[in-house]
Amino acid sequence: GTLDLFSDVQIAAAATFRAPLASGGNIVFTTPATFFASPSAIPPGSRGVFLSATQNGTFSSTLQLTSTSPNPGVITVSFTGADGTAVGSRSVTVPAWGAVSLPGWMSGASTDLGRIDLVPADGTTPFIAVLVRQDLTTRDTDVILPLVIPN
């Protein structure tokens, strides 16, 4: 099924799912309002790219990674400045059916327009990724989907 949301003001939406575990019982997880087959899903062997990460006195970005599997997964997150200079990278483990939110830029650094590359480890789960960019004055928020590039 689908759920269509219409509003005169910006809203954030998420869905909570319950899935049975093979060992018995259930697991509950929450994901942003995108779908597992959505353009924001990044499978292993592909790369997700955000071209609009912003972290400065006016805007703040948050990266959210969601696992689509009952297995934990590993994804490498790399940050590149607008001038093409590598700023840093980190490896992130996302728990089974879990979500991880992290700053949309390297801690302590700022950028007006940076690039984030996401590369799932070979054999790991596909990930849903969104970049949430917020105006620090008005609190207006944009949800940005990645460009997914197959390898």
Side-chain angles (χ1 to χ4, degrees):
T2 64
L3 174 65
D4 295 320
L5 301 173
F6 300 93
S7 176
D8 293 339
V9 296
Q10 292 185 358
I11 59 173
T16 300
F17 297 90
R18 185 179 68 183
L21 292 171
S23 60
N26 294 301
I27 186 163
V28 177
F29 63 99
T30 301
T31 186
T34 57
F35 297 96
F36 296 136
S38 78
S40 68
I42 306 167
S46 296
R47 180 169 52 118
V49 179
F50 293 101
L51 298 174
S52 53
T54 306
Q55 192 75 32
N56 55 32
T58 306
F59 290 94
S60 177
S61 295
T62 302
L63 181 63
Q64 183 170 355
L65 305 170
T66 304
S67 169
T68 64
S69 166
N71 302 309
V74 177
I75 190 166
T76 300
V77 181
S78 301
F79 303 93
T80 305
D83 63 356
T85 302
V87 177
S89 67
R90 62 188 288 189
S91 180
V92 178
T93 299
V94 180
W97 300 119
V100 172
S101 292
L102 57 143
W105 201 246
M106 293 297 293
S107 179
S110 66
T111 185
D112 293 327
L113 189 63
R115 187 180 86 210
I116 301 173
D117 289 85
L118 306 172
V119 179
D122 288 339
T124 196
T125 181
F127 292 92
I128 293 175
V130 293
L131 184 69
V132 180
R133 187 176 55 198
Q134 185 176 56
D135 183 309
L136 297 174
T137 303
T138 66
R139 299 296 185 202
D140 288 341
T141 304
D142 300 316
V143 176
I144 303 165
L145 301 178
L147 170 65
V148 178
I149 303 169
N151 285 344

